[in-house]
Amino acid sequence: MKITNLHIFESNILDGPMSSYKLFYKEDMTQAEIEQDLLKRRLILGKKHGFDGKKIIVPTQKNHQNPNLYPDGTYQTVSQLPLNQVTDLWNLSVVGDILLLDNTKPGIVIGFPAADCPVLIAFDLKQQVAALAHCGAEYINRELPIDLLKSLENEANSKRSDMMVYLSSCAGKEYCYDQFPHWATNQSVWKNHIQKNGFHYFIDLRGSIVDLLKRYYISPSQLIINDQNTITDPLLYSNSATYRKVPNKNGRYLVGCFFKDEKKKTK
């Protein structure tokens, strides 16, 4: 997908898991073999979409296990990162919720591996700046989608009327828990988006995000929603489907974006 000169892509199961987590690979593979296999597949993915597979930046995001790693909504800008520190940007240590990228860094990819949780990409059409964040349920609960938009306002002086927002593939309304989720503490976020049916609580991730963005004056015409359902789509990894013992669903696919370098073709 292309929004002006910003290219957005999602990998799938055919590309293999976009993570070096050992549980996604054969038991007899060493970590070094896993890393090499992942690099090979990243390079192939890059050729498919028009970027160098060694130029992908993925942030380390906090969760309930390390809640004090950084303040909520912390963002990093690619232009201020030490890109010359490593030859493979996948190995660059970047900590935060949000990554920002502008068109002065063509060919650099910002992305996040996902499997049920949506990834949001907000793009300022005039300033040519994109911001990306992985927005799983616990992050939606603390209103990270709004922090994503605020990062563009703070860093690029963006106006909400100039923004487009891409909402990636994610779990559909089949996404459920067998008890009320402990992370759902923000009633204003989950009102009408967690429904009890029998002994299960069904969570509407997309609906909660759309309502949050609407609250921040992002209109439906500014949204691009990928309605692929990770739980039911055979080409997408899914934690929920893996938990239900659906075969071949254990892994992570990559959601990312980049400004294409029109002067240089990817080799």
Side-chain angles (χ1 to χ4, degrees), residues 60-76:
T60 297
Q61 189 177 32
K62 70 176 182 177
N63 55 34
H64 62 279
Q65 295 177 326
N66 53 3
N68 299 315
L69 186 61
Y70 54 79
D72 289 356
T74 292
Y75 64 84
Q76 303 279 357

Side-chain angles (χ1 to χ4, degrees), residues 23-37:
L23 286 181
F24 300 151
Y25 296 85
K26 296 178 181 178
E27 290 184 5
D28 60 351
M29 291 183 72
T30 66
Q31 196 61 42
E33 289 172 333
I34 289 172
E35 297 288 352
Q36 191 60 36
D37 182 68

Side-chain angles (χ1 to χ4, degrees), residues 140-159:
I140 299 171
N141 187 74
R142 60 176 170 87
E143 304 187 6
L144 180 54
I146 290 179
D147 285 335
L148 180 73
L149 303 181
K150 287 181 177 179
S151 72
L152 283 176
E153 292 177 329
N154 293 339
E155 189 65 26
N157 200 27
S158 299
K159 296 179 180 178

